[in-house]
Amino acid sequence: MKALEERILKDGQVRPGNILKVDNFLNHQIDIQFMNEIGKEFKRVFADKHVTKIMTIEASGIAIAAIAAQYFEVPIVFAKKSQSINLDGSLYSAKVPSFTHQTTYDVILSKKFLSKDDHVLILDDFLANGCAAKGLISIIENAGATLEGVGIVIEKGFQSGGKELRDHGIDVRSLAIIESMTDDGLVFRSQN
Ligand code: 5GP
């Protein structure tokens, strides 16, 4: 998505540890008009999919998923991050190593909100090593639901997540893929 690449070049800041900061439009302050364009683009990219629910992970994924969901006309569910889980049978859970915080946390989702009849599209802000996406996929598998695809705003293509998921046959579409990232500049992967 050309406008997204231009916005990343204008506003993105490269931080130590392969972190890209985009918190003036995506991760802290949110540019809603721009998010609307991102939502429409996800709908265009996944137009042929039968989606009954959009799934994401708190916190940054929620705004993206909520805005995109207007175009899919489906609810969103978000996995919650939790320190301690009381597994009483009413929750799906998965362990997710955090890329930005270098810890592992549990994510939980109430069983009420995902069933085997659901066709799920995962949406998230970043794809790095794919841990967040894999956690959500394991919850979808536990629910017996169908994964329709994974939509990502910014994929860091020099990290392993995108390749691993695609190698498993998962339909991963990223609106911008960063091929390389240094203090001196960003290079995007060209996509059709
Ligand atoms: P993964 O689980 O794929 O390794 O990392 C994805 C998650 O880590 C995303 O949900 C996002 O919150 C966070 N993340 C990974 N890389 C970056 C980055 O470069 N910048 C920001 N702002 N978040 C990132």
Side-chain angles (χ1 to χ4, degrees):
M1 186 183 174
K2 198 78 201 142
L4 175 60
E5 293 183 355
E6 285 166 2
R7 190 69 189 259
I8 294 168
L9 289 175
K10 179 169 159 281
D11 290 331
Q13 295 172 303
V14 179
R15 290 292 157 93
N18 280 333
I19 301 273
L20 178 68
K21 245 187 135 179
V22 283
D23 56 1
N24 75 338
F25 70 96
L26 190 64
N27 286 141
H28 198 128
Q29 172 172 267
I30 300 175
D31 180 336
I32 294 296
Q33 280 74 29
F34 194 58
M35 282 307 113
N36 253 319
E37 297 310 310
I38 284 178
K40 284 182 208 166
E41 184 65 6
F42 277 133
K43 176 65 189 167
R44 192 186 68 76
V45 164
F46 290 107
D48 60 335
K49 301 286 185 183
H50 169 56
V51 176
T52 64
K53 211 158 267 189
I54 290 175
M55 187 175 184
T56 191
I57 190 162
E58 69 176 359
S60 300
I62 298 175
I64 296 158
I67 289 177
Q70 297 178 103
Y71 300 103
F72 288 86
E73 299 183 14
V74 297
I76 75 165
V77 283
F78 60 93
K80 296 186 175 193
K81 293 175 181 166
S82 166
Q83 296 291 338
S84 58
I85 42 172
N86 182 8
L87 283 178
D88 59 2
S90 66
L91 298 173
Y92 298 115
S93 74
K95 289 207 177 298
V96 176
S98 164
F99 183 80
T100 39
H101 297 108
Q102 278 151 19
T103 54
T104 293
Y105 54 89
D106 291 292
V107 292
I108 55 169
L109 182 77
S110 171
K111 287 187 177 174
K112 281 190 294 208
F113 300 126
L114 197 61
S115 81
K116 62 175 179 35
D117 299 326
D118 277 314
H119 290 249
V120 184
L121 174 64
I122 293 175
L123 295 181
D124 204 3
D125 58 345
F126 274 90
L127 179 62
N129 294 323
C131 301
K134 285 178 212 160
L136 296 180
I137 291 166
S138 81
I139 288 176
I140 292 167
E141 284 170 355
N142 284 339
T146 305
L147 175 64
E148 291 289 336
V150 177
I152 298 291
V153 181
I154 304 172
E155 175 177 340
K156 292 184 293 180
F158 53 89
Q159 292 176 292
S160 62
K163 180 172 182 343
E164 285 175 33
L165 296 174
R166 291 183 183 100
D167 285 351
H168 276 86
I170 295 167
D171 189 4
V172 182
R173 314 285 186 97
S174 300
L175 303 188
I177 303 182
I178 299 173
E179 200 67 86
S180 68
M181 182 170 99
T182 63
D183 288 342
D184 298 328
L186 298 181
V187 177
F188 294 99
R189 188 178 299 171
S190 60
Q191 303 187 78
N192 301 327

